[in-house]
Amino acid sequence: MRSAAAALAAAAALALLLDAALARHQHHSENPVYKPSGDISLWIDQEQIKMFSGLAMEIYAIAEGQVLAYLLDPEFENKLPIIPSEVSHVNFTWKSGVKKYYYNFFRLKSFDESILKTPSITIKTQGRVPKRPKEFSILLPCAGNSGVAQFGISLMIETRKGKPLNGTPLRLRLRKECTVRDGYLGPHCKKALCYPNCMNGGNCTAPGVCSCPPGYQGPYCEGGICTEKCLNGGKCIQKDVCECPKGYFGLRCEFSKCVIPCLNGGKCRGTNICRCSNEYKGNHCEIATTARITSQRSACSKPCKHGTCQSNDTCLCEPGWYGKFCHKNKPWA
């Protein structure tokens, strides 16, 4: 797997400086309650970063109405590595929060269209920043020739009164590598590409093929191998580590949080909390519902008037009733 520095830079090369991003991640690890909420924010989410590097972290370009300082560094563009050929797009998430903001991607340009076509975005080039978190992508399509091309992206963000957000417009001039030999990159096209990157220490041995270390499996070595099978719907996520569903715990999810087991197909979903099917109810799914009784009654050639239909087409009568169809009352009962 490529170094964390190269992988994160590939994911964040459109707007983020790796060293500052890692420092910010360390800061938030010490303060886990941090989460932009009230003002405009723009970031690459954990799933995107994990796909590139195997590290679960968010990288912000704008947080709480502030363009992060490293984006304003005059040397920012020179410090960014070339975006590798296997990265054809980068997904961003943004939201305006309680305020109204308007955006304008006023420049999307390739400076060598024989190598890189003009970049594009999956949203309109102008509009209003969504109030709630919403994802969009910047697409970087290669033209079919090998080489490195520069491209430019410029973004203006303004308040509803037309005042630019401090730090904007952002004007970035970046570099993207394209290669003709499909599945390889590098000066001599000898390095195989795996996208997403091989995780958990796996090595990309051929285009799209990861060689996983002991204890891991999956197309990108993303899954673990558990010596003993995870029980009760548990999922093996790392070597000998089970992720248990709600209601279960233990090394292999072998213990239920329900002291009294859930009956009739019910599933334990918390401490002594059972989730029952539509045909049963009760704390432990021990009581048949009207729907269950009606279904059972209708299964017999003739309905059981005061009883439950059995699988052998006979009726199991309720207390105080008897007869083939539980239609006779026991006056002595």
Coordinates of all heavy atoms in Angstrom, one line a residue, residues 1 18 24 49 55 73 114 190 283 297:
M1 N 0.9 -1.2 0.0 CA 0.0 0.0 0.0 C 0.9 1.2 0.0 O 1.9 1.3 0.7 CB -0.9 0.0 1.2 CG -1.9 1.1 1.2 SD -3.1 1.0 2.6 CE -2.0 1.5 3.9
L18 N -1.6 17.9 3.0 CA -1.6 16.8 3.9 C -1.0 17.0 5.3 O -1.6 16.6 6.3 CB -0.7 15.7 3.2 CG -0.6 14.4 4.0 CD1 -2.0 13.7 4.2 CD2 0.3 13.4 3.3
R24 N -4.5 18.5 11.9 CA -5.9 18.8 12.3 C -6.6 17.5 12.8 O -7.4 17.6 13.8 CB -6.7 19.4 11.1 CG -8.0 19.9 11.5 CD -8.7 20.7 10.3 NE -10.0 21.2 10.7 CZ -10.2 22.3 11.3 NH1 -9.1 23.0 11.7 NH2 -11.4 22.7 11.6
I49 N -11.8 9.2 2.3 CA -10.4 9.2 2.7 C -10.0 7.7 3.0 O -8.9 7.3 2.6 CB -10.2 10.0 3.9 CG1 -10.5 11.5 3.6 CG2 -8.8 9.9 4.4 CD1 -9.6 12.1 2.5
L55 N -7.3 5.1 6.2 CA -7.4 5.9 7.4 C -8.8 6.5 7.5 O -9.3 7.2 6.6 CB -6.4 7.0 7.5 CG -4.9 6.5 7.4 CD1 -4.0 7.7 7.4 CD2 -4.6 5.6 8.6
D73 N -1.9 29.5 1.9 CA -0.4 29.6 1.8 C 0.1 29.8 0.4 O -0.3 29.0 -0.5 CB 0.1 28.3 2.4 CG 1.7 28.2 2.4 OD1 2.3 29.1 1.9 OD2 2.2 27.2 3.0
S114 N -4.8 17.8 -24.5 CA -4.4 16.5 -25.1 C -4.1 15.4 -24.1 O -4.1 14.2 -24.4 CB -3.1 16.8 -25.9 OG -2.0 17.1 -25.1
K190 N 5.1 0.9 -14.8 CA 5.4 -0.4 -14.2 C 4.6 -0.7 -12.9 O 4.5 -1.8 -12.4 CB 6.9 -0.6 -14.0 CG 7.7 -0.7 -15.3 CD 9.1 -1.0 -15.0 CE 9.9 -1.2 -16.3 NZ 11.3 -1.5 -16.1
N283 N -42.9 -9.3 25.6 CA -41.5 -8.9 25.9 C -40.5 -9.9 25.3 O -39.4 -9.5 25.0 CB -41.3 -8.9 27.5 CG -42.0 -7.8 28.1 OD1 -42.3 -6.7 27.5 ND2 -42.3 -7.9 29.4
R297 N -55.9 -20.2 11.8 CA -57.3 -20.7 11.6 C -57.7 -20.9 10.2 O -58.3 -21.9 9.8 CB -58.3 -19.6 12.3 CG -58.3 -19.7 13.8 CD -59.2 -18.6 14.3 NE -59.3 -18.7 15.8 CZ -59.8 -17.8 16.6 NH1 -60.3 -16.7 16.0 NH2 -59.9 -17.9 17.9

